[in-house]
Structure formats: C-alpha cells, structure tokens
Amino acid sequence: MNMKFNKNEDHNKLLVSSLNHKLKRIKLGGGEKRIEKHHAKGKMTARERIDFLLDEKSNAIEIGAFAGEGMYEEHGGCPSGGVVVKMGYVSGKQCIVVANDATVKAGAWFPITGKKNLRAQEIAIENRLPIIYLVDSAGVYLPMQDEIFPDKEHFGRIFRNNAVMSSMGITQIAAVMGSCVAGGAYLPIMSDEALIVEKTGSIFLAGSYLVKAAIGETVDNETLGGATTHSEISGVTDYKARDDKDALTRIQNIMDKMGDFDKAGFSHKKAVKPKEKQEDIYGILPKKRSDQYDVREIISRLVDGSEFEEYKEGYGQTIITGYARIDGWAVGIVTNQRKIVKTKKGEMQFGGVIYSDSADKATRFIANCNQKKIPLVFLQDVTGFMVGSKSEHGGIIKDGAKMVSAVSNSVVPKFTIIMGNSYGAGNYAMCGKAYDPRLIAAWPSAELAVMGGTQAAKVLAQIETAAMEKKGEKVDEEKEKEVFEAIKSRYDEQTSPYYAAARLWTDAVIDPLDTRKWISMGIEAANHAPIEKDFNLGVIQT
C-alpha cells in the first residue's frame, strides 16, 4: 500500500465516521426528553415500532434519513423530516414502512415531510411493493401550511396516491398509533386495512376544541374518535389493538398470509462476495478531486467474484460499461473513468468528462441492457460533457442528447450511486434524480452542483467584483480574495451530499460498504414489477 492509498483511506474513513455520527444524532428525533415523554404515554417511538415490525436479522435500508437536515431552524428543526421510512421485510415480504415521528413537533407535516412521504409512495408504486403506514401525527404544520397544502405535490397528493395504489392492487396497511387528524384522517381509511390502538390512537376530521368552536358541541377526543368509537360504532377501522406491540404483531400476521407476486424475471444466482477486499475502496477513492484513479478498481470491489465483462473496452474510455452481478443479481454498469486516457488517434481525454465517443458507447450499452432485461447501475464521478470548438464541431450536444434520451426512455430499473463529482449535465446523463432511478444514494465523498466549487466561485466572484467596480468601489487583490472565499464557502456547503440528502435529491448518504446491499434490495424490489412497455429511444439526431 502506498502513501497516497493510506491518505485516501484515512480521509474516507473520517468521512464515514462523520456520517455515522450525524445519523446517530438524527435517530434521536426530537431529543431524549421528548422520547421519555413519549414512552411515559405507553408508546414506542417511530424507530422502535419499525424495528419491532421488521423481521429480525433481515436487511433493511432507510430512505431519507437526512431529510430536513439544516432546514427549518427558525421553527426548531425537523430531524429526518419528522417521518421514518425504511425498506425491509415483514413476515418475509419485502415492503416499505412509513412511521410518523411524534417526538418531532407531534409528528406534524413540514413541506419536506410531504415530499418524503410522496417519495415512499413513489417507491411502492414503481416496484409494486406493499406499504405500511404507522400513523402518529398532528397533521399539517400550520405556520407553513401554504407550502404543504394545495399544490400537486403537496399533502393532498398522498391520498390521491392511496387511491391509485389501491386500484393497482398494491397492499396498503395503516395502524393509527397516535393522533390522526383533519385531512390526515383519510390516509388510514383509504388503505386496504386499518388498525387503531386503544387509548393512544384517535381519528377525527376535527378535534374536540374545533368541534366546540364550530358547532358548539362538547365532547372529549376519545368519544369523538377513539378506538372503541371507530371499531364498534363507526366501523371506520378494522382491528382494535391493545397497545403498540399488539398492533404491530397483527400487521405481521396480515403480511404472513399474503400471496406471491408476479415477477419481472431479472436474472439472479447465488450471491458471491467480491474476491477483492471491499474495504480497499476507502484507499482507492481519492481525497483530492484532481487526482486520478481507475474506476475498475472500485468495480472489482463491488461485484460478485470481482468479475466484470467490459463492453467496448478500448472505445470511449472516459465511460466504462459492462456486465456483472451484485449479490447474485445481473447488472449492467455505467460509470465514469477519472483516469486520463489516450485514444488510438493519440489524443488525450480528461478523466471524469463525457466525450462524444463515450456518450455513444453508453447509449448503445443502455439499449443492449434494455433488450436483455438487465437492470442498470450508474456509478457517478462526472464533471460534465467536454466543451470547446473541437467537441462542438464533433457533435457533442447531439451525442449527449442520445445518451440522455437512452437514460430517459430506459424501461429496466435504474440505480444510481454518486461516488464523487456529479456536475452539470453529467448528473443528468448519468441518471440523476430527475431521470427516475429506483434508488439514488451518495457516498460521503460526493458533490452535486452545476459545476465544481472553485470554478463556480471564480465566475461568481468576477461578476460580483465587476459590479462593485461599476459602483465606484475600490477592489484590490485582498478584496477579490475575500469575495472569492465567501462565495466558495457558501457554494461548497450547497454541494455537500448532506445538503442534497436534506432536500431528497438523493435517498441517502451511505457508507460505500453498504452499496451492494442497496443495489441488491433495490433490484429485488424492482423484480415485483414486470416491465410493461418496450424500450424506444424516440426521435434523435443521428
């Protein structure tokens, strides 16, 4: 192992340590005192409920753990968006679980809460996965109601999705384990089966105070919409549970009786671990953005048996494509090469940049994977498409458009891992969030932006100093440096993988060693949804 490997390893392990520290804090939700108050009511926390519900010693991945991170500070913050979402197994059936965290503002819905719930439903719809809602929410966070209530992708879209999923035959089970008020009351009742917990669960369109104000009736919340009312009088719920554990056990029993699903038929064999040591990824991935590395070294530590069948190896070398297996599942891998390469014509190509030939290769490979029904895995470390007169004359826009079209129209499931850079149109061509990856996760080393921080800060600093000079302000070298550093600091914060994850531009920030699990569980989920249309590139320039 050389010195550079050791420095890279130390750097990346520190990034993973920081990731774990952040996750530990986020998992406390509203904090230890609020958790204690929650327990005092005889209730389990959202995470405790999910842990009890999911099969013991089975794999699970969390979606959107960093949602809301650093946002809404003026409102006291909203850790994990006030809702916990996991993909896991209940009675051996893969499913999505959504649990309101009542330790965060009584489980009230912030704008990011709505976005996260919609993402959970989107995953369930795309993959035909059963979805379980563990409801404990005070409803919309009123101080921000204008950002959560009326638009197409706001609160109301949840119930629209309930209806759509029901018509698609996707199982939905809801357990009311706390408050379930106003518009939110429709969610459990639009599910296939609804449970309610005695004493702690309640469902009503308006609570006792609002009822008194609106129609003058005096009634307590338990009589208005408690477990006995809805299980024995209104018939709104299907089961009455003694406590949280009883409700969760009943859900396990319901899931246990479910039949099998139609399969997409993706190729799967017995999983084999990579021959190469997976932990070496920490030492291979460079600390410096400008350093080169051979992405094949990363691939060999992610794929079964470290076996990779490379497609068009000698052509378009700034994108590497090929076939492999991950945890037994057949995959087509599309990844950026951060190594400077020489073409047969003797031309040098910069690593991490998409050239016409590499875009052309990727387009052809994506088409092949669609024809063979092989899921696609995109490993991003891209600075964008090549610029300059030579590239423009060579038709880089046309070739880039072909690749974007292939990614857009792909009918096999796509999975994206952002390892390093994810800049500009390179993010799009390599299946960024806008291109419907079934799952998208970032390593702690990732950066997402229109361009790199240094380049962007230089451009913005030039504009700002020019504006200052126009106003007659004196701008010396020291002032230029001050302006540049201020802009770069702000820009770097926005390129952080945590900034992206907070806004759900990615589903998670993950340890690189969890990549195989994410892709494997993602393909297993996608196998629930047979492909219903043919691959068609549409109209493209040739």
Side-chain angles (χ1 to χ4, degrees):
M1 297 298 173
N2 59 34
M3 186 70 72
K4 187 177 282 188
F5 182 97
N6 292 336
K7 284 183 177 179
N8 291 341
E9 185 177 43
D10 290 345
H11 173 72
N12 286 308
K13 282 186 174 180
L14 279 173
L15 291 180
V16 171
S17 176
S18 176
L19 163 66
N20 292 332
H21 180 76
K22 290 174 191 287
L23 284 171
K24 189 176 179 181
R25 173 178 49 78
I26 281 170
K27 286 176 182 178
L28 289 173
E32 290 178 349
K33 286 185 179 179
R34 287 184 185 170
I35 290 173
E36 286 171 13
K37 287 181 180 179
H38 199 74
H39 285 160
K41 296 175 186 175
K43 297 164 73 174
M44 301 164 76
T45 66
R47 292 183 181 278
E48 288 167 347
R49 287 166 176 166
I50 292 177
D51 288 345
F52 184 91
L53 179 65
L54 294 179
D55 295 347
E56 217 175 335
K57 295 180 181 176
S58 65
N59 278 336
I61 57 176
E62 182 168 353
I63 309 295
F66 287 100
E69 176 75 356
M71 300 165 68
Y72 316 119
E73 296 301 324
E74 68 276 21
H75 297 277
C78 186
S80 224
V83 63
V84 182
V85 176
K86 286 193 178 184
M87 179 191 287
Y89 303 85
V90 176
S91 300
K93 309 292 192 308
Q94 194 176 20
C95 59
I96 298 290
V97 184
V98 181
N100 301 113
D101 186 350
T103 70
V104 179
K105 298 285 184 185
W109 287 55
F110 283 69
I112 198 67
T113 317
K115 188 173 183 179
K116 186 170 173 179
N117 274 268
L118 288 169
R119 176 61 179 148
Q121 289 185 321
E122 180 182 40
I123 292 170
I125 290 169
E126 285 181 331
N127 299 292
R128 307 295 195 272
L129 283 182
I131 186 165
I132 298 167
Y133 309 99
L134 307 180
V135 185
D136 193 346
S137 171
V140 167
Y141 183 62
L142 290 177
M144 302 188 76
Q145 64 85 28
D146 62 319
E147 297 181 46
I148 184 64
F149 168 62
D151 208 347
K152 181 180 177 181
E153 295 187 346
H154 282 177
F155 192 67
R157 188 78 171 180
I158 304 291
F159 317 127
R160 175 265 185 194
N161 286 350
N162 288 144
V164 168
M165 282 191 278
S166 183
S167 72
M168 294 172 69
I170 297 171
T171 296
Q172 299 175 83
I173 301 169
V176 179
M177 311 180 86
S179 297
C180 183
V181 301
Y186 289 104
L187 185 145
I189 313 313
M190 294 189 75
S191 298
D192 303 324
E193 298 188 77
L195 305 86
I196 188 167
V197 178
E198 284 187 291
K199 297 178 183 176
T200 57
S202 59
I203 310 171
F204 34 66
L205 295 180
S208 55
Y209 291 119
L210 188 53
V211 168
K212 176 72 172 175
I215 64 173
E217 181 185 358
T218 301
V219 62
D220 64 89
N221 282 339
E222 186 64 25
T223 304
L224 184 66
T228 300
T229 294
H230 287 309
S231 296
E232 299 177 18
I233 300 172
S234 72
V236 162
T237 54
D238 305 307
Y239 308 91
K240 182 168 69 171
R242 295 185 307 276
D243 53 26
D244 282 6
K245 288 185 178 179
D246 183 36
L248 297 168
T249 301
R250 285 170 180 256
I251 293 172
Q252 290 168 339
N253 292 337
I254 293 167
M255 291 290 289
D256 179 60
K257 311 301 185 296
M258 281 181 61
D260 205 355
F261 55 90
D262 294 335
K263 294 178 178 65
F266 302 125
S267 174
H268 188 249
K269 291 184 176 180
K270 185 179 178 181
V272 178
K273 288 183 179 179
K275 285 181 182 175
E276 302 291 344
K277 190 179 174 186
Q278 291 182 69
E279 289 81 1
D280 286 350
I281 290 172
Y282 298 135
I284 296 164
L285 197 68
K287 176 181 177 180
K288 290 183 181 178
R289 300 270 153 190
S290 55
D291 283 355
Q292 299 178 54
Y293 68 97
D294 190 342
V295 76
R296 295 178 185 88
E297 294 296 321
I298 299 285
I299 293 171
S300 70
R301 285 154 177 87
L302 291 177
V303 302
D304 289 15
S306 300
E307 294 176 1
F308 179 60
E309 188 69 34
E310 191 166 343
Y311 173 82
K312 287 186 181 288
E313 182 178 351
Y315 178 72
Q317 295 176 68
T318 64
I319 283 182
I320 303 295
T321 53
Y323 304 104
R325 289 188 182 273
I326 292 180
D327 204 37
W329 294 101
V331 295
I333 294 174
V334 181
T335 184
N336 309 105
Q337 175 65 291
R338 264 262 295 274
K339 195 175 174 185
I340 294 175
V341 297
K342 186 183 280 189
T343 68
K344 281 192 174 179
K345 295 177 181 177
E347 298 167 338
M348 301 302 291
Q349 292 189 341
F350 297 103
V353 180
I354 302 174
Y355 288 77
S356 283
D357 55 357
S358 47
D360 177 64
K361 176 171 83 171
T363 302
R364 179 66 179 263
F365 180 72
I366 290 165
N368 281 343
C369 287
N370 273 270
Q371 187 184 58
K372 296 177 177 69
K373 207 158 72 170
I374 301 172
L376 285 159
V377 174
F378 293 84
L379 304 175
Q380 283 196 16
D381 192 351
V382 60
T383 53
F385 285 88
M386 191 58 192
V387 296
S389 61
K390 188 172 182 181
S391 291
E392 298 294 358
H393 296 170
I396 185 66
I397 295 175
K398 179 179 66 177
D399 292 316
K402 285 185 207 172
M403 183 175 173
V404 170
S405 183
V407 173
S408 303
N409 289 302
S410 178
V411 296
V412 295
K414 299 166 289 191
F415 303 89
T416 302
I417 304 293
I418 304 171
M419 305 184 300
N421 301 321
S422 180
Y423 296 157
N427 170 281
Y428 302 159
M430 291 294 294
C431 198
K433 183 68 183 289
Y435 292 80
D436 298 323
R438 296 292 176 95
L439 292 172
I440 177 170
W443 290 355
S445 48
E447 283 190 3
L448 289 83
V450 171
M451 63 178 75
T454 301
Q455 301 96 304
K458 281 179 181 176
V459 173
L460 293 169
Q462 285 172 9
I463 294 169
E464 191 165 323
T465 53
M468 291 164 71
E469 286 171 342
K470 208 170 184 180
K471 291 176 185 175
E473 296 179 39
K474 188 180 178 184
V475 181
D476 55 20
E477 193 175 319
E478 191 175 324
K479 184 65 178 175
E480 281 182 356
K481 188 178 178 183
E482 182 187 318
V483 170
F484 171 80
E485 291 298 339
I487 292 172
K488 188 173 186 304
S489 175
R490 186 171 68 246
Y491 196 90
D492 285 347
E493 182 186 339
Q494 293 175 357
T495 64
S496 158
Y498 299 104
Y499 189 92
R503 287 151 184 81
L504 291 172
W505 300 343
T506 64
D507 292 318
V509 182
I510 65 170
D511 184 334
L513 302 188
D514 287 333
T515 302
R516 279 170 57 85
K517 179 172 75 173
W518 269 74
I519 293 170
S520 173
M521 287 190 69
I523 299 176
E524 184 183 349
N527 204 37
H528 286 73
I531 296 170
E532 295 172 348
K533 63 178 183 177
D534 295 330
F535 175 66
N536 186 338
L537 266 179
V539 178
I540 57 171
Q541 293 281 353
T542 57

